[in-house]
Amino acid sequence: MVVVFRKTILTLLLLALSIWVVRYGLLRQRVEARNYRYTAAERQALQSFADAWVDYGIKAWYENQPDTARADFRNGLARNALHVDAWLELARLEATLGNASEAGAILAFADTLTRNVVKWKWPQLLLARDLGIESIFLDNINFVVAYPQLRMDALNLLDRHVEGDTSAALRILEPRHLPDYLGWLMRWKRWADGLAVWGTMTEPQQQQDGLQDRFINFLVGQKQIRAAIEIWQAETGNPGWINPGFEAPFSTSAFDWKASSGEHWRDRKSTRLNSSHRIR
């Protein structure tokens, strides 16, 4: 009899645990899918999930209910004190409401939680700039520029932050980012700023991934022939025109022949200062 009773109790406990696990799994799936109904009953059912509190808080914020949103974010943090999204949303809310000091304190804490984690650095950068917290902005901009998927946006943000002052940007950027910064300047056809950056780069950086040839071609394309020739001569010792007698295959150099497809072919750029070569 005792054995049967124990087995019955154990069976009931396992059944209850199975039901709880299934229910938890279904609720967790709803949270991950963001498939909410936003009802009072659902809020009660999902109260153990920090992610759900954050999502409910964002909805309340969009519906112009800042007090409800703040409470929801704090409830999410009560479930998971390391929930970075909750901290950042709370910081953004406080900043929007004009509580800059509190928003800054929250942002500083979130920054310590994500010191070497790129996932949250972009929203932190934007918020730091909006709040005027230079230390957090400057600490993170170099970290973000190192990631190709964020590099262009980060350099755009930096340029806006320094109001287009390349010398100020050079004081902020670490030397390892100068080739990427030069590439960004070339993309925006800022040849004068590009020359300023080129002058601060080391020789290995200038030779990195064919950057020298690309920069010289860029200068020629911007009609800065003299500057292009000066860089070419300083780096190669060549007076300008190369391969004049077609001794070698065409290269990507701005001072080599350029061939175009079709019945006629010719070079497309001036090759020497005060002279040009053209062939048909």
Side-chain angles (χ1 to χ4, degrees):
M1 185 67 180
V2 175
V3 174
V4 174
F5 178 75
R6 288 177 177 175
K7 288 183 177 181
T8 301
I9 294 298
L10 181 59
T11 300
L12 292 175
L13 288 174
L14 291 175
L15 180 61
L17 180 61
S18 300
I19 294 173
W20 181 88
V21 169
V22 171
R23 181 176 181 274
Y24 180 88
L26 292 174
L27 294 175
R28 181 75 239 180
Q29 185 179 29
R30 183 185 301 181
V31 172
E32 291 181 353
R34 302 296 194 265
N35 185 24
Y36 302 118
R37 301 185 182 92
Y38 295 105
T39 63
E42 182 185 66
R43 176 187 285 267
Q44 180 66 25
L46 298 177
Q47 63 178 334
S48 299
F49 297 92
D51 288 343
W53 282 112
V54 174
D55 293 335
Y56 266 74
I58 292 173
K59 182 176 186 296
W61 188 2
Y62 289 166
E63 293 177 349
N64 200 26
Q65 301 175 33
D67 292 336
T68 301
R70 181 190 287 116
D72 287 345
F73 294 147
R74 292 190 178 279
N75 278 326
L77 290 168
R79 272 70 179 175
N80 180 3
L82 301 180
H83 199 296
V84 178
D85 289 323
W87 284 116
L88 291 178
E89 293 296 342
L90 183 59
R92 289 177 56 220
L93 175 62
E94 297 295 351
T96 302
L97 296 177
N99 302 323
S101 59
E102 186 169 353
I106 295 172
L107 177 60
F109 177 72
D111 184 53
T112 62
L113 293 178
T114 60
R115 180 64 61 188
N116 295 311
V117 183
V118 70
K119 176 181 178 180
W120 293 283
K121 288 305 177 184
W122 183 248
Q124 289 177 22
L125 273 175
L126 296 178
L127 186 55
R129 184 175 184 275
D130 290 343
L131 292 172
I133 305 177
E134 284 281 303
S135 58
I136 294 179
F137 181 86
L138 298 181
D139 284 346
N140 287 291
I141 191 70
N142 282 289
F143 181 79
V144 173
V145 170
Y147 288 84
Q149 65 270 32
L150 295 174
R151 182 173 297 144
M152 292 297 105
D153 288 337
L155 290 173
N156 285 334
L157 181 64
L158 174 63
D159 189 67
R160 185 174 180 182
H161 182 72
V162 299
E163 299 180 343
D165 186 347
T166 302
S167 60
L170 287 173
R171 290 193 295 270
I172 293 172
L173 285 174
E174 296 175 356
R176 63 192 174 110
H177 297 313
L178 295 184
D180 293 321
Y181 185 41
L182 178 59
W184 180 86
L185 291 170
M186 291 163 57
R187 180 179 181 183
W188 291 103
K189 303 186 185 307
R190 290 167 55 175
W191 62 267
D193 292 332
L195 286 171
V197 174
W198 180 265
T200 67
M201 294 169 59
T202 64
E203 183 175 350
Q205 287 180 319
Q206 294 172 348
Q207 301 293 337
Q208 179 178 313
D209 298 326
L211 181 59
Q212 175 184 288
D213 285 340
R214 289 191 288 116
F215 187 50
I216 291 174
N217 273 293
F218 164 75
L219 290 173
V220 171
Q222 297 301 305
K223 304 186 186 307
Q224 303 304 312
I225 308 301
R226 184 179 296 277
I229 289 179
E230 288 177 355
I231 293 175
W232 175 258
Q233 291 178 341
E235 298 299 325
T236 67
N238 194 304
W241 180 254
I242 64 173
N243 195 23
F246 304 98
E247 296 89 351
F250 293 168
S251 70
T252 60
S253 169
F255 301 101
D256 197 356
W257 296 103
K258 300 291 186 293
S260 59
S261 59
E263 296 181 2
H264 304 285
W265 59 281
R266 63 190 179 190
D267 70 313
R268 300 161 95 174
K269 291 188 177 74
S270 174
T271 56
R272 282 180 188 260
L273 193 61
N274 301 323
S275 67
S276 64
H277 297 258
R278 192 174 294 272
I279 186 167
R280 295 180 183 277

